[in-house]
Amino acid sequence: MSTCALCQNNMCVVALHFAALALATNEQRYYALRHGESIPNTRRLICSHPDDATRPHNGLSDRGKLQAEDAAADVVRIATLHRCAVAVCTSDFARAAQTADAVHRALVAHDIQRWPEDAPLVSTSLRERGFGDLDGGGDDAYPLVWERDAVDADHREWGVESVNSVRARARSVVERLAAEPALARGRWMVVLVAHGDVLQIAETWFRNRRGEVHRSLEHLPVATLRELELRRGE
């Protein structure tokens, strides 16, 4: 896969300008794609540490691989309908990277223009939210975190990464892609392949909503494609 270190803290004014321009003129249409069912999902475990989550044995389950192929078909269908090229950017965690690979293979098979041409772009900024001391434990701990999120988007209880930190790094990916010269011409479908919390938190930025409300947005199931529409507010 192609790799790019995306700046998380110091996005320049020019990048912000390009982001606003590209999104406002619909040159780029952004889509969230949550990875297919993963092996940690089947075991009901939280898997957010890079040392574990990047390993293939924590990638997609057999069912998840089929779901990824279905999601890839959805990408092809929408790209064909809107007659646009497709840019794919993915988390480096195995479950997301394998889902992105399925999308890339489908684009190649249907001869759809893509960027990068040889493989999806990998960004560590799209990694799953870090769940700190809860990592490796049962996924029944998620609601405890989300309850605190609704009160304080900066909280780091249990060593969990804050909502606002996740929001900033997800935003940096969009700003970087919006300023990418290769995507400056033509119509592009930009697919962000990542994880549930990351994508729903990113959606709060697209909707101009506070990060605290991310769990009140419509749930994004595994292997589901959703357009992220930029709004001034709701």
Side-chain angles (χ1 to χ4, degrees), residues 40-77:
N41 288 154
T42 65
R43 297 175 178 171
R44 299 187 63 85
L45 296 176
I46 297 174
C47 184
S48 67
H49 195 287
D51 288 350
D52 296 320
T54 55
R55 296 180 178 177
H57 69 260
N58 281 321
L60 296 177
S61 66
D62 288 341
R63 181 183 180 189
K65 291 174 183 176
L66 294 175
Q67 292 172 336
E69 292 177 3
D70 288 342
D74 286 340
V75 173
V76 168
R77 176 180 57 80

Side-chain angles (χ1 to χ4, degrees), residues 75-91:
V75 173
V76 168
R77 176 180 57 80
I78 293 173
T80 302
L81 177 66
H82 294 290
R83 298 181 181 179
C84 58
V86 181
V88 181
C89 185
T90 181
S91 159

